[in-house]
């Protein structure tokens, strides 16, 4: 068997090594000796590491206990189907309505503009494919439709555009500057009379760069006025805001967006629930059929506990946004400075200032990012490389390549994303672990 593995391509050998590592780790329990900080957790002897520091909050966040408390009544006590007209159903329906109102208020939107989905991926699909399909239903051929997006969008956006492109529509993929910033001027140049939708993410999930959404929406509005068109006439503006709610302004009026996607698991809420904000008058077709829930756009019995949890997580995030952003920004800058000073070959990816307060994406040229991730995991530190949604795919980060960086930088990037319980002690330990790994590759 070992001889057979020698004949595999290099990337498959590496994958095999990762699988072997995971298998061996399950066979024995090892302990990492160090002082525990507030976010470390003890595990049992079923193969998991004894202590952990979690720096992968861009992939997912732990459920806030306050959110769980709000959700618990809807697991078993208030279990009714919101579509039922009896008392149990009414209780569930009222819970969904209150959550919708809460989210709408925090976004500066009407409750009727809030559509619950299974997560950010579905919300992005509903927005983009929904607009495309609706135009087709109105007699517009794919060849007569034009869409604009960027080269560093999340896969749940890019892959939808790839599908639309395969069906005949024209897609413009805008480049970014070396910091990952999309130019509003480049958007203006790309707009045409056939442009149906512009899609630019609010904050990048890998490098943390925050995009000039307000400037881009202003450019689109100016284009509409110049053409003598009214609000809600094409092109619409969509943004994937999954990474933004804990740290950025979420007023849809100030942002000037028509469609905005959110994901519960990114904001200390439950997995399996998301939101699409859809401005009144923006027509989209459903992805699924079989029920009239969510204003006929998302059939299926509502995930009541998840919806309640999302709303509470969104509320907490808004209430704590200013103070937590300040705290994490200081920790992030401390960590970046310490890593770059202690490992001179390391390179920061993304904008130095216009980035999420909790994000530090760093390349370690000459080393493999996934190898570093596995090594840090063995030292008790959980980090990410490229998007968790692409973790099973080989090759370096397409986001880093979009910055104009080489394959070495793309393949060696590691994403460190801090969270509510991250401490300076956690970061000091992570830097020490990094130094140890890099000095003995």
């Amino acid at each position: 068997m070992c001889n057979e593995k020698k004949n595999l391509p290099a990337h498959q050998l590496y994958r095999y090594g990762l699988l072997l590592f995971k298998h061996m780790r399950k066979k024995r329990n090892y302990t990492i000796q160090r002082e525990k900080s507030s976010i470390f957790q003890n595990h049992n002897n079923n193969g998991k590491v004894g202590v952990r520091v979690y720096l992968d909050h861009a992939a997912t966040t732990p459920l806030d206990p306050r959110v769980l408390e709000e959700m618990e009544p809807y697991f078993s006590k208030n279990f009714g189907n919101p579509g039922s007209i009896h008392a149990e159903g009414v209780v569930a329906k009222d819970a969904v309505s209150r959550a919708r109102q809460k989210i709408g208020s925090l976004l500066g939107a009407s409750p009727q503009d809030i559509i619950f989905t299974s997560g950010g991926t579905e919300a992005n699909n509903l927005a983009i494919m929904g607009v495309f399909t609706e135009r087709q239903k109105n007699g517009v051929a794919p060849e007569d439709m034009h869409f604009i997006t960027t080269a560093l969008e999340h896969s749940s956006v890019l892959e939808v555009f790839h599908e639309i492109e395969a069906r005949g529509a024209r897609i413009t993929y805008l480049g970014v500057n070396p910091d990952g910033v999309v130019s509003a001027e480049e958007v203006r140049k790309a707009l045409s009379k056939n442009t149906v939708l512009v899609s630019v993410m609010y904050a990048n999930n890998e490098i943390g760069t925050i995009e000039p959404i307000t400037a881009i929406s202003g450019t689109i509005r100016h284009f509409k006025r110049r053409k003598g068109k009214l609000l809600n006439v094409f092109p619409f503006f969509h943004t994937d805001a999954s990474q933004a709610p804990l740290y950025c302004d979420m007023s849809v009026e100030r942002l000037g967006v028509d469609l905005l996607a959110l994901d519960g698991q990114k904001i200390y809420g439950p997995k399996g629930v998301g939101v699409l904000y859809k401005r009144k008058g923006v027509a989209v077709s459903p992805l699924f059929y079989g029920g009239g829930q969510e204003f006929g756009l998302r059939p299926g019995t509502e995930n009541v506990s998840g919806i309640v949890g999302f709303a509470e997580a969104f509320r907490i995030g808004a209430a704590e946004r200013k103070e937590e952003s300040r705290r994490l920004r200081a920790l992030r800058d401390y960590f970046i400075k310490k890593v770059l000073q202690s490992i001179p070959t390391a390179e920061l990816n993304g904008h130095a200032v216009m980035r999420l307060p909790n994000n530090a994406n760093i390349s370690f040229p000459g080393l493999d990012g996934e190898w570093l991730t596995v090594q840090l995991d063995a030292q008790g530190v959980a980090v990410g490389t490229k998007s968790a949604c692409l973790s099973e795919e080989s090759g370096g980060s397409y986001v880093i390549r979009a910055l104009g960086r080489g394959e070495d930088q793309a393949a060696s990037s590691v994403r460190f994303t801090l969270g509510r319980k991250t401490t300076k002690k956690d970061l000091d330990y992570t830097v020490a672990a990094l130094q140890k790994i890099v000095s003995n590759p």
Side-chain angles (χ1 to χ4, degrees), residues 127-148:
I128 301 166
M129 187 61 76
V131 167
F132 172 76
T133 305
E134 184 69 17
R135 292 302 285 156
Q136 279 192 305
K137 287 182 179 179
N138 282 277
V140 181
E143 294 77 13
D144 295 326
M145 290 189 235
H146 174 232
F147 296 81
I148 299 172

Side-chain angles (χ1 to χ4, degrees), residues 358-423:
N358 75 325
N359 179 289
N361 188 296
I362 300 173
S363 288
F364 300 87
L367 299 173
D368 185 276
E370 290 190 344
W371 177 83
L372 275 170
T373 299
V374 171
Q375 294 299 314
L376 283 168
D377 188 38
Q379 295 295 319
V381 182
V383 299
T385 49
K386 51 197 173 186
S387 169
C389 295
L390 297 174
S391 61
E392 296 302 316
E393 297 184 11
S394 60
S397 165
Y398 67 81
V399 172
I400 304 302
R401 287 196 294 268
L403 307 181
R405 302 292 181 92
E407 188 58 36
D408 192 12
Q409 283 81 7
S412 65
S413 65
V414 177
R415 180 185 66 187
F416 306 85
T417 42
L418 289 57
R420 287 178 181 165
K421 294 184 178 181
T422 304
T423 67

